[in-house]
Structures are given as C-alpha cells and as structure tokens.
Amino acid sequence: MSKAALQWPIKSVLDNFPLPQYTCQNPYRLFSSSPYKSKSGHGLRKNIQDSYAHDQAQRRQEANKRRQAELKEQRRAALGDPIRGHTTPFVESFDTGLPRPATASVEQVSHTTTAQSPQQPPPSPANATGEAHLNYSLTKPELLDSLDYSRVLSEPLVSADRSRADPAKEAQDAKQHKAEHANAYEAVSRIVSLANATGRERSRANVQRIIDTFGRHNTDKYLKSKAPSLQSTYSTDMAQKALPRAGPDTGSSEVQIGILTAKIRVLADRYEGANRNDKVGKRDLRLLLHKRQKLLKYMERKERGSQRWTNMLETLGLTEATWKGQIAVQ
C-alpha cells in the first residue's frame, strides 16, 4: 500500500472537521502525546533580559561548586587513606623491625623505665627505645649471656706461680683480650640485628612486637576495659570465675588487626612500586583489607569508647576510612 493511500483518510477527516490552530499545528501529528515544536526553535531559547543578574547567578553557581569540592576534599582527608591510614612511628618501624619511639609524654614513657610506685602503670611496649627482638629468634638477654660466657672462656690464663709471672705481659694480654671482645660484640650485634635481617625475619619480629604491644596479657595491666553493660546474673558470675590467661594473647581482635596492618603495609609497598600489574598481589591486598575491615567493625561494636580501642587507633594510625564505606584498590 502506498504512502498516499495511508494519508488519504487523515486528509479527508481534516477537511471535514478542521481543528483549532492551538491544538495541533501539524496535521500529521494528530495522535502524538508530546507537544509540537517548530523548526525555528522559537521559545526554546531563554531570553535573557538582565545580563547582570545572569552573571551574578553564574558566579554564585561556580562558587557553590568550588565550595562543594573543597568540602568533599576535606571529608576525604578527614577519613584518611583506607589502606594505610595515618603514618605513626610504630607503623614505620615495620619496615626495619627496629622500634622508633614517639615523642615522650607523661603517659608514654620508655619501656625500659622502671615504675616508681606500685600505683604507676607500666608503659606500653609500643614506646620502647631498645631493640627487644633480634634476628634468628634471639632476645637481648640471651645475646648478652652468650657474649659474657664467651668472654669468660676466652680470658687469658693467669699464672699460679706469681714469682715467675710477668705483670706487664699479663696487663697487655688483658688489654688485647678486652679489645678483641669489644670487636666480637660489635660484629655479633650487627649480625643478629634486624637491620640486616631478611623480610621473613622482620615479619616474625613485627608479629612478636605486635603481640607484646596489643596482647591483653600486657594491656590489662595499664588499660581499662570497657564498662560492663547490663547483663544477667549468670553471665556476671561466669565472668567473675573466668580463668587467667595462660601464655601470650595472640587471638584478640586488636592483635589480629595489628598483624594484618603489618602485612598490608608490605603488600601496599610492593604493589605501589614496580609490581603495579601484579594481579595476585592486588587480590591478596584486597582480601587482607576486607578482613581487617570486618575485625574493625566487630571491635567497634564491642570496644568503642574503651582505652583498648583508642590505644589501637592511635598506635596503628587507623582512621574511619579503614572500616567505613567501600575499600577499593585502584
């Protein structure tokens, strides 16, 4: 059927029943639901009568957009980095395994400082100034005992017959032995130092430091737990009869969060470097971030407002971005 044949009934209807001009300007758009617009575009363009008012409105809109961008940037900076958070001396020490003490304060003193009174709480291990953990799973007391034992074994023998002894030679031998022992002490100290350790040994030392810092077998001595909520008599009696801890605390949420933070820092440094296209490392980093996010959400529900919560956030430099919202690894 031709186009003219299809248009014939419409033309006949229009000829017999002419429609008003305002209802349909185009006879071929009789059944259209949308209003007809002429080709000239008259009425689409806004006629600006006051150019000054228009310029002022444009400037207000641009100022509003700039202010919104500034507020968005401030909120993003306040939330912090969802991967690293804020850098603290304790987190920076993960790179070398050696402690970096923060600025000394009244509450935060050196780990080697002895308490002056029984009422004074012991300091946090996070503020230690000495190297407590060494390479090859050694400790400082073990190293000192071994070096002292080797010094005793290597001391020059003193003649029992003092009539034939040479005091000058004995003094020279003692001086030489002291110098050799000092050289040996320096050499062994460098060998067992974490500054010359492998990445695996540094990770092991970092895990041990985190356990000593956040383990509740130590933190219960100087950090107050959260105030107990309204509980039943049965749960209160069971809490009072709780058995003491046997050995170091390795399963608390703050300990696991600290260990995950150390692992995340290693993977983040590796991923942001030359291994940008490492898909497996990116996946591992994402899994660790989400696991830490779940633990932080759980601990926020259980310990929010307590000294354990604030101490962990301040020591590890964690912000709200690490457990709120979506964490994306670009």
Side-chain angles (χ1 to χ4, degrees):
M1 187 178 292
S2 63
K3 185 175 181 180
L6 290 175
Q7 295 177 354
W8 179 80
I10 300 176
K11 290 183 178 180
S12 62
V13 170
L14 292 175
D15 294 338
N16 297 329
F17 303 96
L19 297 175
Q21 191 70 18
Y22 60 87
T23 57
C24 181
Q25 298 179 2
N26 189 355
Y28 301 103
R29 293 178 56 88
L30 182 62
F31 303 102
S32 177
S33 59
S34 60
Y36 173 73
K37 298 178 182 179
S38 62
K39 296 182 180 179
S40 62
H42 180 70
L44 300 179
R45 228 178 270 108
K46 182 181 290 187
N47 186 13
I48 302 173
Q49 298 180 357
D50 191 352
S51 59
Y52 177 77
H54 177 70
D55 294 341
Q56 292 295 323
Q58 291 292 331
R59 292 178 182 179
R60 286 195 299 269
Q61 185 178 7
E62 293 176 358
N64 187 19
K65 289 182 179 180
R66 288 195 300 269
R67 181 57 181 168
Q68 289 179 1
E70 292 176 0
L71 292 176
K72 186 176 180 180
E73 183 65 22
Q74 290 177 4
R75 295 190 194 101
R76 190 189 64 81
L79 287 176
D81 189 0
I83 299 178
R84 297 180 180 272
H86 296 311
T87 304
T88 61
F90 185 75
V91 175
E92 288 180 350
S93 65
F94 291 158
D95 298 337
T96 59
L98 302 176
R100 292 185 182 182
T103 305
S105 60
V106 178
E107 295 81 11
Q108 299 178 345
V109 294
S110 172
H111 183 49
T112 57
T113 304
T114 307
Q116 301 295 332
S117 62
Q119 290 78 16
Q120 183 179 357
S124 172
N127 304 315
T129 56
E131 189 176 358
H133 302 282
L134 302 174
N135 199 3
Y136 307 108
S137 302
L138 292 175
T139 59
K140 197 71 173 181
E142 293 176 351
L143 176 64
L144 295 178
D145 292 342
S146 301
L147 291 175
D148 187 65
Y149 183 67
S150 64
R151 180 187 61 79
V152 173
L153 292 179
S154 60
E155 282 182 351
L157 298 177
V158 180
S159 176
D161 189 0
R162 302 306 301 169
S163 60
R164 298 182 179 181
D166 187 359
K169 187 176 183 305
E170 289 180 353
Q172 183 179 1
D173 293 342
K175 184 178 180 180
Q176 182 180 359
H177 173 262
K178 185 177 181 180
E180 291 177 353
H181 176 72
N183 293 335
Y185 179 83
E186 182 66 23
V188 174
S189 298
R190 292 183 181 181
I191 291 173
V192 301
S193 176
L194 289 174
N196 301 320
T198 60
R200 179 173 296 182
E201 287 293 332
R202 283 197 299 269
S203 299
R204 180 200 58 78
N206 288 332
V207 169
Q208 190 61 41
R209 290 176 55 219
I210 291 169
I211 293 174
D212 294 341
T213 303
F214 299 107
R216 297 188 181 180
H217 62 286
N218 288 331
T219 58
D220 287 343
K221 300 175 183 177
Y222 58 91
L223 293 180
K224 295 181 181 179
S225 59
K226 188 177 181 180
S229 58
L230 296 178
Q231 298 175 348
S232 61
T233 307
Y234 175 77
S235 59
T236 304
D237 296 340
M238 293 298 293
Q240 292 176 355
K241 297 179 181 178
L243 297 177
R245 298 184 182 275
D249 176 24
T250 59
S252 298
S253 299
E254 52 266 35
V255 176
Q256 297 299 319
I257 291 170
I259 295 174
L260 289 174
T261 301
K263 294 180 179 180
I264 287 171
R265 183 174 179 84
V266 174
L267 288 178
D269 292 340
R270 187 181 305 169
Y271 178 70
E272 293 177 358
N275 301 324
R276 188 66 180 176
N277 297 323
D278 186 6
K279 305 302 181 182
V280 178
K282 182 178 180 180
R283 177 181 178 273
D284 295 339
L285 178 60
R286 189 185 297 112
L287 290 176
L288 293 179
L289 287 172
H290 291 165
K291 186 180 293 186
R292 184 180 68 176
Q293 184 183 29
K294 292 179 181 178
L295 288 173
L296 283 169
K297 288 182 178 179
Y298 168 78
M299 192 172 179
E300 184 187 18
R301 292 195 307 269
K302 298 295 183 181
E303 297 288 342
R304 184 176 182 178
S306 64
Q307 293 186 2
R308 292 173 182 170
W309 173 255
T310 56
N311 176 67
M312 181 193 66
L313 295 184
E314 292 174 358
T315 305
L316 296 177
L318 300 178
T319 59
E320 292 184 354
T322 55
W323 74 83
K324 287 185 178 181
Q326 182 180 1
I327 300 177
V329 181
Q330 302 298 334

